[in-house]
Amino acid sequence: MTSKRAIITGVGHYLPDYVLTNKELESYVETNDEWIRTRTGISERRILKDPDKATSYMGEKAAIEALEDAGVAAADIDTIIVATVTPDYMFPATAALVQKKIGADNAYAFDLSAACSGFLYALSTGGMMIESGRAKKVLVIGTDKMSSIIDFTDRTTCILFGDAAGAVVLEAGEEGGIIDFVHHTEGDEQCMLYQPAGGSMNPASEETIKNKGHFIRQDGKSVFKKATEGMADVSLEIMERNNLTGEDVAWLVPHQANLRIIDATARRMGLDKEKVMINIGKYGNTTAATIPLCLYDWKDQLKKGDNIILSAFGGGLTWGAIYLKWSR
Ligand code: UT7
């Protein structure tokens, strides 16, 4: 069996229509546009308002667009991996719902939970399936309806997140594609970033609802410190082990949690601002969707042979980076 490379052949996205501005947030909590923009870089985010639509709906839309972009039929997909922390249900997997919706009848499908690093964990997993020869075409989706776990009376979290999905098709190729990845995990025993209730530790009850346990909780300062170190460290780690300098890197695709974290990462990598994909201003932090959303927004500017570093940090705690060469 000759060893194959996993290359991205299609990119898709989905953004809900509703735009939640900083101005509107000023009417919910004690905050202001200036604070949000200077502390986070966010001006607005999208919210999926339709009560009968959830994470799998956005994943479906992004997947269909990615398949069209790749010129691949849904029936030819071997595996679907959905990264999410806001599944439609605890089970079945959101990936199974997407599989049905898009008619990928020959694919097996599963979810992967790694919060904001979810898309990178999923992309490297899908990549290894292709490299091993076990799969020929893999759909990797990052989709999160963060508004479903946001407390819109908590100003420390409600300003940060948005809803969206992004997807890529991975296929076997001869050169380029995913060259290397590094992932790290440090179990978050202090619960710096988590959703306390709804799982087997604190199943839903009157008490969990009263305590707002089904909403995201974050110690912003501690996570900020960890994220700033972690994202920069892992980006440098992957550059060093592949003998890349800032000059060699065409693009940094960073997870979009806070503009200050992105800037610090780019600085430590020695990258000019023009090489950094930043769309946090328009979408906020869409958790598993941020990185494929960037790839979608910049796809017309990517050139064959470009060295691209994808980098993320999130709940878990999880962090990681992927080095890929654009190959289409
Ligand atoms: O993607 C997953 C990983 N998540 C992250 O990477 C997020 C990491 N954390 C962050 O991005 C930042 O910590 C935040 C944006 C959440 C907060 O920014 P900060 O610069 O760390 O602010 P802070 O928590 O130190 O708060 C500074 C002040 C406080 O007031 P005092 O105590 O100085 O009087 C807060 O109460 O700002 C206040 N504050 C706000 N003021 C206006 C907190 N939230 C708000 C708000 N509007 N929304």
Side-chain angles (χ1 to χ4, degrees), residues 125-156:
T125 302
M128 288 187 286
M129 289 172 166
I130 297 220
E131 287 161 12
S132 74
R134 293 273 174 198
K136 295 205 163 35
K137 296 180 198 304
V138 177
L139 196 48
V140 180
I141 304 168
T143 175
D144 268 303
K145 185 180 171 183
M146 295 307 291
S147 61
S148 67
I149 57 167
I150 292 299
D151 174 4
F152 280 96
T153 65
D154 175 5
R155 70 175 182 172
T156 68

Side-chain angles (χ1 to χ4, degrees), residues 29-32 35-36 39-40 116 155-156 159-161 193 218 220-221 223-224 227 255 257-258 260-261 285 313-315:
V29 288
E30 186 66 42
T31 190
N32 60 77
W35 191 96
I36 301 174
R39 297 288 180 128
T40 70
C116 297
R155 70 175 182 172
T156 68
I159 55 147
L160 298 172
F161 296 95
L193 176 51
Q218 174 173 249
K221 251 190 189 349
V223 176
F224 183 87
H255 170 55
N258 189 313
R260 291 182 288 149
I261 299 174
N285 181 351
F313 187 97

Side-chain angles (χ1 to χ4, degrees), residues 18-242:
Y18 190 83
V19 177
L20 174 59
T21 60
N22 291 348
K23 202 91 208 131
E24 183 177 343
L25 283 169
E26 286 177 13
S27 64
Y28 305 156
V29 288
E30 186 66 42
T31 190
N32 60 77
D33 175 53
E34 214 255 326
W35 191 96
I36 301 174
R37 275 188 297 102
T38 51
R39 297 288 180 128
T40 70
I42 302 167
S43 298
E44 56 191 44
R45 67 290 288 144
R46 302 298 183 94
I47 303 292
L48 184 62
K49 287 272 189 181
D50 323 42
D52 60 339
K53 293 192 170 72
T55 295
S56 70
Y57 171 80
M58 297 192 293
E60 170 203 350
K61 296 286 180 199
I64 290 170
E65 193 175 51
L67 288 170
E68 274 171 17
D69 191 38
V72 167
D76 291 335
I77 292 293
D78 301 306
T79 311
I80 301 172
I81 312 175
V82 168
T84 188
V85 289
T86 52
D88 289 25
Y89 309 108
M90 284 293 282
F91 74 92
T94 299
L97 304 175
V98 172
Q99 182 256 11
K100 183 73 184 168
K101 285 179 204 275
I102 66 172
D105 299 340
N106 301 310
Y108 71 94
F110 62 95
D111 287 0
L112 188 154
S113 174
C116 297
S117 308
F119 185 79
L120 293 195
Y121 278 32
L123 190 62
S124 48
T125 302
M128 288 187 286
M129 289 172 166
I130 297 220
E131 287 161 12
S132 74
R134 293 273 174 198
K136 295 205 163 35
K137 296 180 198 304
V138 177
L139 196 48
V140 180
I141 304 168
T143 175
D144 268 303
K145 185 180 171 183
M146 295 307 291
S147 61
S148 67
I149 57 167
I150 292 299
D151 174 4
F152 280 96
T153 65
D154 175 5
R155 70 175 182 172
T156 68
T157 52
C158 75
I159 55 147
L160 298 172
F161 296 95
D163 302 337
V168 300
V169 175
L170 280 178
E171 293 185 73
E174 297 305 324
E175 53 183 336
I178 298 172
I179 311 283
D180 193 15
F181 68 86
V182 185
H183 295 322
H184 297 289
T185 302
E186 183 185 303
D188 178 17
E189 283 179 315
Q190 294 155 39
C191 300
M192 280 180 232
L193 176 51
Y194 78 135
Q195 181 187 323
S200 55
M201 181 62 85
N202 299 306
S205 67
E206 275 182 42
E207 198 67 13
T208 62
I209 291 171
K210 210 170 71 207
N211 295 336
K212 300 189 170 187
H214 298 270
F215 295 129
I216 200 165
R217 242 176 247 173
Q218 174 173 249
D219 171 356
K221 251 190 189 349
S222 304
V223 176
F224 183 87
K225 203 161 165 271
K226 285 268 188 190
T228 310
E229 279 168 20
M231 236 170 84
D233 283 352
V234 78
S235 306
L236 286 177
E237 190 180 348
I238 202 152
M239 282 169 72
E240 276 163 22
R241 66 190 227 176
N242 289 281

